[in-house]
Amino acid sequence: MEAAKSTSFLIVDDFELMRKTLRNNLISLGFDNIMMAGDGEEAIKILKNHSVDCIISDWNMPRMTGLQLLQYIRCDVQYQNMHFMMVTAEGERNMVNRAIDAGVDQFLVKPFTQITLRDKVSTMLKHGPRVLSKSAVATNQSANRERQAKEAASKNSKPLILAVDDVATNIAIIADTLKDNYKIKAANSGVAALKICSNARQPDLILLDIMMPEMDGYQICETLKNNPKTAHIPVIFLTAKSETIDMKKGFELGAVDYITKPCNPDILKARVATHIKLKLSKDALEERVDTLVENARLREDVERITRHDLKNPLSAIIGSCEAILNDKWVPNCMSSVENIREASMSMLGMINRTLDIYKIEAGIYRPKLERVNLAELMHRMVNSFRMQAQNRTINIVYQAPSDCIALAEEMLCISMFGNLLNNAVEASPDGENIYVTTNQVGDVCEVSINNVGEIPQEIQTTLFDKYVTAGKQGGTGLGTYSAKLMAETQKGRIRFDTSPYEGTTFYVQLPIA
């Protein structure tokens, strides 16, 4: 790949963090001629003014998707020598096939590592760009024209109404009533109506008569609704048939409304306006949903990448601590090294748990319950917080029997009690005591954590709800919420008492083993 270091890249992604991640990875690989765009339309503007050898584009983007950008590139002779790599979180065969048919050179599936990116770029640059068959070029050109037609229609045209009636005067009345606010197309038969609906620009609403020769309104509506490409077009029956059974049949076939003739012009305008607004809102919502879904996937991808990257230095810290401990290095430092090792192990466990809250919320998390000595675990947890407490002259007093064996998951307990101890230290005034006890109470193991200070009255009833916090700088309101989820997932429970005299005490009960 050394000979190709001068290769120019254009990164196209609507998520700025991903653009920067790709750019930094390419720089690390030795490439420095890199441009970036937020979507396909911005990319096209850059292409018109700059020479680009390779595009690395996300699939799901607003305004112009990665697939549409690829189809545009492969239709233009001036870009025929350009490489195209598609980045996606999807692995569905159908999506892969569509991109291959359009002329993609490589896929990069998220989450990816720098090594994966290096290998993909290297493989791609060793070969020339894809050469498409005439039929594939024609398919891209057709898709490109359809996209451009839709863009032109959305930017420059009024909503399009298709009036279907075999009586010319009826169509004339509809057109005269609606012409000020809508573009009107007319069809005097079912065949003509279906042909109009198959055009690149489809109608936004159809006003459909029922009583027509050869193909009546019911048959037209049924045909439209059975075709995935036209099923989304709202249909209003506009007819003299006013029997309940007729209306029922129309609604069962998928009509959204029913207006009887002769219709009042004001009623016609009002109902058309309502359904046009609903249709356009639905279209806009569907466009945004794809972007939101992709952004949600991307957040998860970034979290997975972050967890992976954080594990590397943590593993080095843990390994170094183990080596120092095994060598019996400087006796008076052994305790500090042990604390570093314990804290690193806890942090590693928390990293591994970053998606567990989501799984618990979704009801798909299955805890691995086993025997856990809570007395010993809480002893380690308290020690890990002593330095944080001592910085504010807070003393943590811990009392427990030698053993208190619960049926629990150790890493969930570490996260749960870590949140509660951290909250106690942050809420406690300087110079005060925090009391932590572990006991067996009947058939449960109970851990209590007490600190001076009362929980504000306004959040006491909602303390375990998500995002609830009061006056805590930088607080997320997730600590007690996640503690409750973790306790209940382990078949336990959590509660608290608070008062200006006794302070605040959290009680966590887990079943004994």
Side-chain angles (χ1 to χ4, degrees):
M1 196 165 60
E2 291 298 326
K5 295 298 184 182
S6 61
T7 302
S8 58
F9 287 85
L10 173 58
I11 299 170
V12 190
D13 199 303
D14 61 317
F15 194 58
E16 184 179 9
L17 177 59
M18 187 52 69
R19 292 199 300 271
K20 290 181 177 179
T21 299
L22 278 166
R23 181 193 62 190
N24 292 341
N25 280 331
L26 289 173
I27 290 173
S28 297
L29 294 175
F31 299 102
D32 56 15
N33 190 356
I34 303 167
M35 291 164 279
M36 297 191 294
D39 57 45
E41 290 186 2
E42 186 179 346
I44 289 174
K45 292 178 181 178
I46 292 174
L47 291 174
K48 291 178 178 178
N49 297 299
H50 298 85
S51 175
V52 173
D53 298 311
C54 178
I55 292 178
I56 301 179
S57 174
D58 186 35
W59 184 296
N60 283 320
M61 296 180 292
R63 298 205 298 174
M64 188 179 191
T65 68
L67 179 62
Q68 290 171 334
L69 176 61
L70 172 60
Q71 290 168 331
Y72 175 89
I73 295 299
R74 293 299 186 234
C75 285
D76 199 318
V77 177
Q78 66 176 316
Y79 304 130
Q80 63 184 2
N81 294 321
M82 189 178 298
H83 293 281
F84 199 107
M85 180 184 294
M86 190 75 77
V87 183
T88 177
E90 303 286 352
E92 293 183 9
R93 189 72 247 171
N94 180 51
M95 296 180 68
V96 172
N97 287 338
R98 289 172 64 194
I100 290 174
D101 291 342
V104 74
D105 293 300
Q106 280 286 343
F107 277 96
L108 183 63
V109 180
K110 296 179 286 188
F112 57 87
T113 64
Q114 187 180 97
I115 293 174
T116 303
L117 176 63
R118 180 199 65 195
D119 292 344
K120 293 284 187 179
V121 171
S122 178
T123 300
M124 182 172 61
L125 296 181
K126 285 179 182 177
H127 306 283
R130 289 268 313 279
V131 178
L132 300 185
S133 65
K134 290 183 179 179
S135 61
V137 172
T139 300
N140 282 343
Q141 290 172 339
S142 175
N144 212 32
R145 286 193 299 269
E146 183 176 343
R147 177 186 59 81
Q148 291 172 341
K150 287 182 178 180
E151 289 178 355
S154 63
K155 291 179 180 178
N156 304 318
S157 299
K158 300 175 182 178
L160 176 60
I161 307 293
L162 174 59
V164 187
D165 200 308
D166 60 322
V167 179
T169 54
N170 290 338
I171 290 178
I173 292 171
I174 293 171
D176 189 60
T177 303
L178 301 176
K179 65 182 181 181
D180 290 340
N181 298 312
Y182 309 98
K183 181 177 180 180
I184 310 297
K185 278 195 173 183
N188 60 5
S189 69
V191 173
L194 294 175
K195 184 177 181 180
I196 291 173
C197 291
S198 67
N199 291 339
R201 186 185 179 188
Q202 295 177 320
D204 296 297
L205 178 71
I206 299 173
L207 296 173
L208 181 58
D209 186 31
I210 291 179
M211 301 298 293
M212 291 189 295
E214 297 181 6
M215 191 177 195
D216 65 23
Y218 294 136
Q219 293 172 308
I220 298 171
C221 183
E222 185 174 17
T223 302
L224 290 168
K225 297 304 176 183
N226 287 336
N227 185 344
K229 293 184 178 180
T230 57
H232 65 283
I233 305 173
V235 174
I236 296 178
F237 280 123
L238 191 61
T239 179
K241 294 174 72 68
S242 59
E243 296 294 329
T244 301
I245 190 170
D246 296 321
M247 294 184 181
K248 181 174 180 291
K249 183 176 180 180
F251 287 128
E252 288 175 345
L253 288 172
V256 296
D257 209 342
Y258 212 110
I259 304 175
T260 56
K261 297 178 182 178
C263 61
N264 183 299
D266 292 332
I267 295 296
L268 177 61
K269 288 179 181 179
R271 290 191 174 180
V272 167
T274 296
H275 289 292
I276 284 291
K277 185 177 180 180
L278 288 172
K279 196 265 183 185
L280 297 180
S281 297
K282 182 182 177 183
D283 289 347
L285 182 60
E286 288 177 349
E287 288 181 3
R288 291 187 61 82
V289 163
D290 286 340
T291 302
L292 291 173
V293 168
E294 175 64 11
N295 285 343
R297 288 197 189 101
L298 188 54
R299 282 194 295 272
E300 292 182 9
D301 293 338
V302 171
E303 286 177 2
R304 283 194 289 270
I305 294 169
T306 302
R307 290 201 307 277
H308 177 272
D309 290 346
L310 283 175
K311 285 181 181 180
N312 292 331
L314 269 178
S315 297
I317 293 171
I318 294 169
S320 299
C321 290
E322 296 289 352
I324 293 170
L325 289 170
N326 290 334
D327 287 343
K328 305 299 182 184
W329 180 74
V330 191
N332 61 351
C333 293
M334 298 295 286
S335 176
S336 296
V337 174
E338 179 64 26
N339 287 340
I340 293 172
R341 188 181 72 85
E342 290 290 340
S344 299
M345 290 297 292
S346 295
M347 185 176 176
L348 181 60
M350 291 175 188
I351 292 170
N352 290 329
R353 285 281 180 255
T354 53
L355 286 180
D356 286 348
I357 292 299
Y358 163 75
K359 292 178 180 178
I360 293 172
E361 287 179 316
I364 59 176
Y365 185 80
R366 298 292 178 264
K368 297 177 182 178
L369 302 180
E370 54 189 8
R371 292 169 60 87
V372 176
N373 189 338
L374 283 187
E376 192 274 333
L377 182 144
M378 289 306 299
H379 177 73
R380 288 189 283 118
M381 293 292 295
V382 166
N383 284 341
S384 70
F385 277 88
R386 288 197 187 280
M387 183 172 294
Q388 179 182 340
Q390 288 170 0
N391 289 336
R392 294 174 47 210
T393 63
I394 295 171
N395 182 40
I396 303 180
V397 180
Y398 179 57
Q399 294 180 335
S402 57
D403 291 315
C404 188
I405 310 300
L407 191 62
E409 184 173 314
E410 183 170 346
M411 291 311 303
L412 278 184
C413 288
I414 290 173
S415 294
M416 175 174 63
F417 291 119
N419 279 330
L420 296 176
L421 283 169
N422 185 67
N423 286 349
V425 173
E426 289 183 345
S428 178
D430 292 354
E432 296 289 348
N433 289 337
I434 294 174
Y435 296 95
V436 181
T437 62
T438 302
N439 285 299
Q440 182 173 327
V441 182
D443 60 352
V444 298
C445 293
E446 182 179 82
V447 175
S448 65
I449 302 173
N450 169 269
N451 65 274
V452 175
E454 181 185 17
I455 294 173
Q457 186 77 32
E458 65 269 19
I459 66 168
Q460 288 183 13
T461 59
T462 58
L463 185 65
F464 290 115
D465 291 348
K466 200 172 187 178
Y467 305 128
V468 172
T469 186
K472 180 179 174 183
Q473 187 174 2
T476 63
L478 292 175
T480 52
Y481 170 76
S482 64
K484 182 174 185 292
L485 286 180
M486 292 177 183
E488 293 176 348
T489 297
Q490 298 175 91
K491 300 180 180 179
R493 61 190 296 265
I494 184 172
R495 64 182 180 88
F496 69 91
D497 294 328
T498 186
S499 75
Y501 310 105
E502 301 292 334
T504 297
T505 305
F506 279 89
Y507 301 90
V508 178
Q509 294 182 339
L510 296 172
I512 60 172

